[in-house]
Amino acid sequence: MTPKEAVEFAKKNNARILDLKFMDFIGSWQHFSVPIGELEESLFEDGLGFDGSSIRGWQAINNSDMIVIPDPGTTVMDPFMKDATVSMICNIFDPITKEKYSRDPRNIAQKAEAYLKSTGIGDTAYFGPEAEFFIFDNVQYDSTANESFYSIDSEEGTWNTGSDEAPNLGHKPRHKEGYFPVAPSDTLQDIRSEMMLLMEQVGINMECHHHEVATGGQCEIDMRFAPLVNCADNLMWYKYIVKNIARAHGKTATFMPKPMYGDNGTGMHTHQSIWKDGKPLMAGNGYAGFSDLGMHYIGGILKHAKTICAFAAPTTNSYKRLVPGFEAPVNLAYSSRNRSASIRIPMYSPSPKAKRLEIRFPDPSCNGYLTFAVMLMAGLDGIENKIDPGEPMDKNIYSLGPEELASIPTLPHSLDEALQALEKDHEFMLKGDVFTQDVIDTWIEYKRENEVDPLRLRPHPLEFHMYYDC
């Protein structure tokens, strides 16, 4: 959609408000709204100003002026607003130099796409995330100097089989038995359908939805793959729609990786492939129908996996899910069909167009723009340097003995360990000026000061159970 077409679209839909959305450094959508009279073709050149010092990880207060310039190709009607509101996703610029802002995640993703083209290796990187989430009926939490607690509840939770619900009608999925049950065990079918249909309404091509493995409202809605930046845009609409539909039904949705003890956490398995001139480059005659290029891409992902985790599993809570011996894959191995490996080559279809790899350790707390960009850069590093991924692991890794397991490298055990890996291994990210040193340093500093250290300093409720009588 051109600027002129975007203006005409707003008029055709009788829009009264223009809503401008953009991504903060860490991974949350921000927005502000203006009267529709502000929507002129000149807006796509001049932009609108805002305070960059109030956005996480961005400008200092003495250098705070920034401008947003909407991308006309992202124009849709916001489905939740009372007054007709046209929505656009924006890029961030410096008002003096008019250069794109280096800490804008969408800019970083755009530079990753440009770098791919500059290498001559391919012209399109497709990504397809499978974002899971929980829908709860109640959530309460607090952390003060003398108290810390959380409490979640779901009418589906197996812990409620003995609750007086006036009446309790049963049919609650047991732990790890929530995958694909029909109603009445699955109480969220209609809500997920509403979410999926609304995603289609804003232009996302959808595939399916279903209940996920955990009890207590774990769900998944799958979108079709799309080019990198477009896919990251879609992921933000996905989260926005899931949270707002849940709230409209008096429920709450979360993409927190591990909100519940004793059951599966929430992942975001991410499919990806590279194409050139409309042809898939990962299909070939090698293992699992992969090409040498595809194998080298896997080699790059395996080599830089710990660094990737700093973005793909970017919270302290992520490592409550990525625990050795449990459901999430933490072993740095690849395989076809084997879901215990951290990289899988799906074998659903023999078509070369369907040939792709699936990275299984990301989770949906991530910033999609940064996560997709760093995975692409790692894969391209593997291709450029012909990194050998080694032999595939077709055994069930969960059943291996200690000696065999010792030979397989693992993902980081904590966010701090992932940040340490990022400090040591990030040269591949600087190619093409995709990530700058400033972006990497700011990411590490923000995560340590605002997430790692605050958790380190606080007593955990379980520690009272274990140590109060020491």
Side-chain angles (χ1 to χ4, degrees), residues 91 158 230 287 377 436:
N91 298 311
T158 191
N230 182 220
Y287 172 80
M377 296 302 290
T436 64

Side-chain angles (χ1 to χ4, degrees), residues 392-409:
M393 174 57 69
D394 290 329
K395 298 178 182 178
N396 180 356
I397 298 176
Y398 299 139
S399 66
L400 297 181
E403 291 185 4
E404 285 184 287
L405 273 177
S407 65
I408 304 174

Side-chain angles (χ1 to χ4, degrees), residues 264 321-331 339-340 360-361 398:
N264 281 30
R321 169 180 171 262
L322 296 174
V323 177
F326 291 86
E327 80 279 357
V330 299
N331 298 286
R339 283 174 163 81
S340 68
R360 296 176 58 79
F361 53 83
Y398 299 139

